[in-house]
Amino acid sequence: AQKITQTQPGMFVQEKEAVTLDCTYDTSDPSYGLFWYKQPSSGEMIFLIYQGSYDQQNATEGRYSLNFQKARKSANLVISASQLGDSAMYFCAMRELDSGNTPLVFGKGTRLSVIA
Amino acid sequence: DTAVSQTPKYLVTQMGNDKSIKCEQNLGHDTMYWYKQDSKKFLKIMFSYNNKELIINETVPNRFSPKSPDKAHLNLHINSLELGDSAVYFCASSQWAEGGETQYFGPGTRLLVL
């Protein structure tokens, strides 16, 4: 069963608008971490934001915020005031923490295109 | 200063050859990983090391052998390269800290097997 689902293979957004990238996850561990990464066309993986399952507040990092809805098992990434440089692949990932040092499990990614 | 570095960045080689990819992190992290990203951009874990000890070995052909000479290095050696090994290989490292965890990735090594 897929642990991370990103249902939007591609998204378009107008420059300066906000955009939400969807991510749902599946785990029975009560303790887990959720991550978002950006992969521009140059190929590197850039860490954006982290949310722990016990965190009371939604994580925010600059223009990035994570809309964490635990009951729905969703961890959507919100990018405010989109810029042309935000065009990239975005990956949602999860790490289950109760099982020791488990690696990240990634979704299939969403390709975001920002239009001028 | 690069936190996680990999060499080489590009690797083009013939089928049947043996090659190595090196990874170093200067973050003092305990855990390092190798991930493979296929042509469809799907990222999957291959190996995980914690303090030089192998803790995760996913279903990977035994032609792939990781080696961790010390906590800061995790190298990947591949024997008898096959066409299907063509992919981007990412090294990563992570550490727990108050407020959560961050996994940092290296720049990736683009391997093309001809």
Side-chain angles (χ1 to χ4, degrees):
Chain A
Q2 204 157 10
K3 292 207 168 195
I4 296 285
T5 303
Q6 293 181 253
T7 56
Q8 307 150 316
M11 290 278 288
F12 288 90
V13 64
Q14 199 78 36
E15 200 179 3
K16 298 178 188 174
E17 298 288 314
V19 63
T20 298
L21 306 183
D22 294 342
C23 173
T24 56
Y25 59 91
D26 182 27
T27 181
S28 54
D29 274 9
S31 181
Y32 50 89
L34 297 157
F35 302 75
W36 276 93
Y37 284 86
K38 173 184 178 181
Q39 188 176 41
S41 56
S42 51
E44 70 267 35
M45 292 287 287
I46 302 167
F47 169 75
L48 296 178
I49 198 165
Y50 170 86
Q51 178 87 43
S53 58
Y54 292 120
D55 293 343
Q56 296 293 321
Q57 295 192 325
N58 286 345
T60 59
E61 286 287 346
R63 294 186 299 111
Y64 304 108
S65 60
L66 202 150
N67 184 0
F68 181 44
Q69 297 190 40
K70 198 168 180 176
R72 292 185 180 183
K73 292 190 175 175
S74 77
N76 299 340
L77 178 70
V78 181
I79 306 174
S80 62
S82 296
Q83 301 171 356
L84 294 177
D86 294 335
S87 295
M89 283 287 287
Y90 288 81
F91 292 96
C92 180
M94 176 179 67
R95 195 163 93 81
E96 292 165 329
L97 304 175
D98 277 354
S99 313
N101 275 308
T102 54
L104 291 177
V105 175
F106 284 87
K108 293 188 176 180
T110 295
R111 184 172 294 282
L112 177 66
S113 300
V114 181
I115 307 163
Chain B
D1 283 344
T2 307
V4 183
S5 59
Q6 291 177 233
T7 53
K9 193 168 182 183
Y10 299 95
L11 186 52
V12 181
T13 188
Q14 299 281 347
M15 261 173 54
N17 284 351
D18 303 338
K19 290 293 177 187
S20 291
I21 308 171
K22 295 186 177 180
C23 177
E24 176 181 2
Q25 53 98 1
N26 62 8
L27 298 164
H29 288 173
D30 288 332
T31 308
M32 295 183 73
Y33 308 85
W34 276 108
Y35 291 86
K36 178 180 179 181
Q37 187 175 37
D38 62 24
S39 57
K40 294 183 180 174
K41 299 290 187 184
F42 187 58
L43 268 151
K44 196 172 176 195
I45 184 68
M46 298 174 71
F47 300 102
S48 173
Y49 267 73
N50 189 49
N51 272 318
K52 301 195 304 173
E53 286 189 28
L54 178 67
I55 52 171
I56 289 171
N57 180 355
E58 292 293 310
T59 308
V60 175
N62 57 15
R63 299 181 294 104
F64 290 80
S65 51
K67 289 216 171 23
S68 182
D70 55 58
K71 206 172 83 163
H73 295 86
L74 180 62
N75 303 325
L76 183 64
H77 188 76
I78 316 169
N79 288 328
S80 304
L81 278 155
E82 299 178 358
L83 294 177
D85 297 333
S86 297
V88 182
Y89 293 84
F90 285 98
C91 178
S93 74
S94 71
Q95 184 87 341
W96 271 103
E98 191 176 325
E101 178 196 359
T102 304
Q103 282 212 13
Y104 289 104
F105 281 72
T109 295
R110 286 139 192 85
L111 171 65
L112 178 60
V113 182
L114 302 173

